[in-house]
Amino acid sequence: MRPTDLGRMAVPGRPALRGELLLTAVTRPDPDADAYRSTLVRIGSHEPSPWTHGERDTAPAISPDGRWVAFLRATGTDTPQLHVMPSSGGESRRLTDLPLGAGAPVWAPDSRRIAFTADVPEPGRYGTAVNGSGSVVSPERERPRRITRLDYRIDDKGFTRDRPRRLFVIDAVKTEDSGPKPSTTEGPMPLTDAAVSVADPAWTPDGSGVVVVAPRDWDARETRHEDLYVVPSEGGTPSLLVRGRGNVSLPVVAEDGTVYFYGTSFDGFAGVARNTGLWATSLTEPANPVRLTDAETVDCETSAGPPAPRRDDVLIAVRHRGAVELRSVPRDVPRDSDGAVLDTLTLVTGKHAVVRSFAIDGERVAVVQAGPADTGEVLLLDDGTVSIVTDFSASLRETGIRPVEELTATAPDGYPVHGWVVAPDGDGPHPVLLVVHGGPFAQYDWGLFDEAQVYASAGYLVVLPNPRGSAGYGESHGRAVIGALGTVDADDVLALLDAALTRPDADTDRVGVMGGSYGGFMTGWLAAHHGHRFTAAWSERAVNAWDSFTGSSDIGWWFAGAYVGDDPEEQRRRSPLAHADRIRIPFAIAHSEHDWRCPIEQAQRMFVALKAGGCETEMLLFPGEGHELTRSGSPRHRIQRFDAVLEWWQRHLPVS
């Protein structure tokens, strides 16, 4: 796979399933237009066929009666707006015209109303008129922001408190003499005020309310805790449903009134490296929610979508040793004599794969699942059979996807380490790249990783470790680095590297290290403390100095203290910047100018320190990008970054 093959990566989104209708949005980078294109695709017994022909159509949702499809459409630089069309096909009707766009649609049980969230800007901001005057000012001429709280911005979005995310309901379908038609007579009705941002709307079975996630006490003060509220669908005062024990997300209400949701448990702001579990409560008696999965061993992957209750079980996606597996949890969970949950989860699909999303209709399940050689295909599980019904990655596989090999090792203290190797074609010996992931509470997984494929295709043997601190190996594994960054995690990545270097196709004398975010931290740490093992380093969007990260990062006000502690001297000891004078290998720094997760000063301070110390270094800055450049940045910048990475390694680890 070459950098220019980025345009071949077709990524299906969360499926929508009702009866014989199965839809998904397929997104592709368009390097020529420097944009992302997305259309809704119908999947059936034949080849998938386009369902819509918009520029960026996403988030399909089929009404419970199967008559309508709601989705989001964006054109050009416009924001996504809510549309609806008959499920039999035809023209879509636009339902919203909101200045910052609409969120994903959620149908009410009556197949008439739709709930969604939307950011609502203060007048005069983000292109809206000032006090109804019709006068619009450019961003740099807006009035100053008065900041009174620590949680005032978030990476890849920007400022948040001047555009709260509010809940809306709209009548999407009206009934006329000729039958039901898309409604255009009334705009959306706001159900929450500007005091709070809410998320993850879910209807109650009778349609009288919408369950949402909101910060503790309706966002009265800075908090990392969240609660569930029920908002009356006709308007009124929200009522508290569940007081969360940490974070909560993605509620869904079963027909019998049981509310299932994801949640973590923690005190204070220290909610890092905690497994996310499946919880349940009653819509009528919500006082004591119960956890249905084991806190140590089961970590739910919330990005795959909400839990899906069926007759006797609930489907969830679970991170496990680099896989994301679709598992079923009994609705009546067995427990031991002490009340602890017994592990009775059943694997449905996802072994040695990654379940990206899923949807159910009765006993039928549609799953988007990625593997080592694809970015995601749609599987249909029906009556005990599993069918792969798409081949979106056929074009990508033509580029020569390199196989992924599992690798295990033992750290100096006897701890087992797990990861992967992606090797280039040929006998070698090949130069080696140790690539450390971000997080740290994240994981390399079985899904196709474009970076590893690009580096391997260029001739490098790529090592992908999941050291202590990573997710998917138990909560204790993830929390092992709290207060100990750069200790056992460094031991683990070096142990896996040593295991890879025993391969006959690995060049033990030519090894590079690279990574982003936490992986950038680890790159700087290894270069300073184990630099003799590496020829050169590439660090991007890195945490280099915990002291300034605390005051400048969007999450610094709680994240640094949770992982490193609040003692300034300890923060200094755990900062690669404090050890920059020990780095002697060529060291590249890549950063985005609009990165608010690891602000640009993290790169600038490291660059100046390395230059002052006489280290061979250079800095590559990407304008207009945030922390997520490598995953969702502009296609041209992603390709330019690949070109720069390969040029750096060809300069310092040339491939013969």
Side-chain angles (χ1 to χ4, degrees):
M1 180 180 174
R2 299 166 301 175
T4 52
D5 291 324
L6 186 71
R8 297 174 181 255
M9 296 183 67
V11 181
R14 187 184 176 202
L17 176 65
R18 188 78 63 195
E20 296 303 312
L21 183 59
L22 174 56
L23 301 173
T24 188
V26 179
T27 302
R28 293 177 174 85
D30 183 349
D32 293 334
D34 199 23
Y36 290 87
R37 310 296 188 192
S38 181
T39 58
L40 303 190
V41 172
R42 180 170 187 171
I43 300 164
S45 56
H46 303 290
E47 287 291 316
S49 57
W51 180 254
T52 62
H53 299 276
E55 192 173 308
R56 295 193 306 282
D57 294 346
T58 58
I62 306 171
S63 62
D65 63 8
R67 290 186 174 189
W68 306 99
V69 177
F71 63 97
L72 300 179
R73 168 169 289 175
T75 303
T77 58
D78 292 343
T79 54
Q81 301 294 341
L82 183 61
H83 286 64
V84 68
M85 64 186 293
S87 60
S88 56
E91 294 296 320
S92 68
R93 189 77 61 90
R94 177 170 168 165
L95 299 181
T96 61
D97 186 17
L98 296 164
L100 299 183
V106 183
W107 284 97
D110 59 16
S111 296
R112 178 176 61 86
R113 296 168 295 167
I114 293 174
F116 65 92
T117 60
D119 293 342
V120 180
E122 293 178 355
R125 296 203 188 277
Y126 307 106
T128 59
V130 179
N131 297 326
S133 65
S135 175
V136 176
V137 299
S138 58
E140 65 273 12
R141 295 192 179 278
E142 289 181 2
R143 66 186 183 278
R145 289 178 172 85
R146 181 171 178 264
I147 308 296
T148 61
R149 289 177 46 149
L150 297 169
D151 53 350
Y152 64 92
R153 63 177 184 170
I154 197 73
D155 184 71
D156 258 12
K157 179 176 180 178
F159 295 101
T160 57
R161 308 211 68 83
D162 55 8
R163 44 175 163 175
R165 188 173 58 248
R166 300 174 67 180
L167 175 68
F168 291 85
V169 166
I170 189 169
D171 280 335
V173 179
K174 62 180 179 180
T175 301
E176 297 181 348
D177 293 341
S178 57
K181 296 179 180 294
S183 173
T184 58
T185 57
E186 297 182 2
M189 178 175 67
L191 296 184
T192 58
D193 55 31
V196 64
S197 287
V198 301
D200 303 342
W203 288 88
T204 60
D206 63 1
S208 66
V210 181
V211 180
V212 297
V213 175
R216 171 63 45 83
D217 297 330
W218 210 242
D219 203 22
R221 63 195 63 81
E222 294 97 334
T223 180
R224 297 258 331 9
H225 286 250
E226 295 164 319
D227 302 327
L228 293 181
Y229 291 82
V230 180
V231 182
S233 60
E234 298 298 327
T237 303
S239 59
L240 179 66
L241 177 67
V242 169
R243 191 169 178 85
R245 301 181 186 182
N247 302 129
V248 297
S249 64
L250 297 170
V252 62
V253 189
E255 287 295 327
D256 64 358
T258 303
V259 182
Y260 296 96
F261 61 95
Y262 297 128
T264 57
S265 296
F266 57 85
D267 297 321
F269 291 125
V272 296
R274 294 291 189 185
N275 279 352
T276 299
L278 175 67
W279 294 71
T281 191
S282 168
L283 196 60
T284 56
E285 299 179 6
N288 294 304
V290 294
R291 189 167 188 154
L292 304 183
T293 53
D294 180 64
E296 170 60 29
T297 61
V298 178
D299 185 21
C300 298
E301 178 55 84
T302 59
S303 67
R310 299 192 294 183
R311 183 169 47 207
D312 300 319
D313 62 6
V314 182
L315 296 183
I316 57 174
V318 176
R319 296 194 282 192
H320 177 63
R321 288 184 61 82
V324 178
E325 301 169 345
L326 187 65
R327 298 185 186 178
S328 68
V329 183
R331 293 183 69 165
D332 186 12
V333 173
R335 300 176 182 271
D336 63 19
S337 57
D338 296 324
V341 172
L342 296 176
D343 186 3
T344 56
L345 277 66
T346 302
L347 176 67
V348 178
T349 186
K351 185 177 182 180
H352 292 177
V354 178
V355 170
R356 300 292 190 201
S357 56
F358 62 97
I360 69 169
D361 182 35
E363 296 302 312
R364 301 170 71 228
V365 185
V367 180
V368 172
Q369 179 174 293
D374 64 82
T375 55
E377 304 294 349
V378 178
L379 282 62
L380 192 60
L381 286 61
D382 191 5
D383 196 25
T385 63
V386 180
S387 305
I388 302 175
V389 292
T390 63
D391 194 11
F392 294 127
S393 291
S395 173
L396 189 62
R397 285 194 296 273
E398 293 174 359
T399 67
I401 298 300
R402 300 302 305 156
V404 176
E405 304 173 50
E406 276 189 282
L407 185 65
T408 59
T410 303
D413 62 357
Y415 195 84
V417 188
H418 178 238
W420 290 266
V421 167
V422 183
D425 193 19
D427 296 332
H430 308 290
V432 177
L433 292 181
L434 173 65
V435 185
V436 185
H437 66 63
F441 197 57
Q443 64 171 2
Y444 282 130
D445 59 41
W446 284 99
L448 184 142
F449 183 30
D450 59 341
E451 292 193 45
Q453 291 297 327
V454 167
Y455 306 151
S457 296
Y460 297 95
L461 189 147
V462 184
V463 183
L464 306 171
N466 277 342
R468 274 170 279 190
S470 303
Y473 299 80
E475 188 170 277
S476 297
H477 181 92
R479 294 184 62 78
V481 298
I482 291 178
L485 289 173
T487 61
V488 294
D489 47 351
D491 291 342
D492 289 357
V493 298
L494 292 176
L496 203 75
L497 174 63
D498 286 336
L501 293 178
T502 64
R503 295 168 54 105
D505 58 350
D507 189 336
T508 59
D509 295 324
R510 295 195 299 152
V511 181
V513 59
M514 65 182 298
S517 197
Y518 162 78
F521 159 87
M522 184 55 68
T523 297
W525 189 267
L526 292 176
H529 295 82
H530 304 275
H532 64 283
R533 303 205 49 175
F534 303 101
T535 304
W538 174 282
S539 171
E540 55 192 315
R541 59 182 185 275
V543 180
N544 290 314
W546 291 106
D547 58 349
S548 56
F549 178 90
T550 299
S552 62
S553 168
D554 60 339
I555 63 172
W557 57 280
W558 59 268
F559 187 92
Y563 265 108
V564 184
D566 297 321
D567 176 53
E569 183 57 29
E570 180 63 14
Q571 289 187 351
R572 191 197 70 81
R573 281 195 297 266
R574 296 295 169 193
S575 297
L577 180 66
H579 309 282
D581 60 333
R582 302 172 60 178
I583 298 177
R584 293 290 178 262
I585 59 176
F587 197 98
I589 299 169
H591 221 91
S592 295
E593 291 184 353
H594 293 172
D595 189 337
W596 283 6
R597 181 58 42 85
C598 296
I600 193 172
E601 56 87 16
Q602 293 284 314
Q604 295 166 325
R605 294 182 70 190
M606 191 69 165
F607 177 71
V608 170
L610 291 173
K611 290 290 280 187
C615 177
E616 178 186 342
T617 186
E618 57 189 59
M619 183 165 58
L620 185 68
L621 298 180
F622 287 88
E625 299 288 357
H627 197 66
E628 297 299 305
L629 164 65
T630 62
R631 293 175 282 267
S632 59
S634 79
R636 287 180 188 170
H637 276 160
R638 291 175 67 183
I639 292 173
Q640 290 164 354
R641 173 196 165 273
F642 271 138
D643 290 339
V645 170
L646 294 179
E647 189 278 331
W648 172 263
W649 290 123
Q650 183 61 25
R651 201 188 324 162
H652 297 285
L653 291 177
V655 177
S656 56

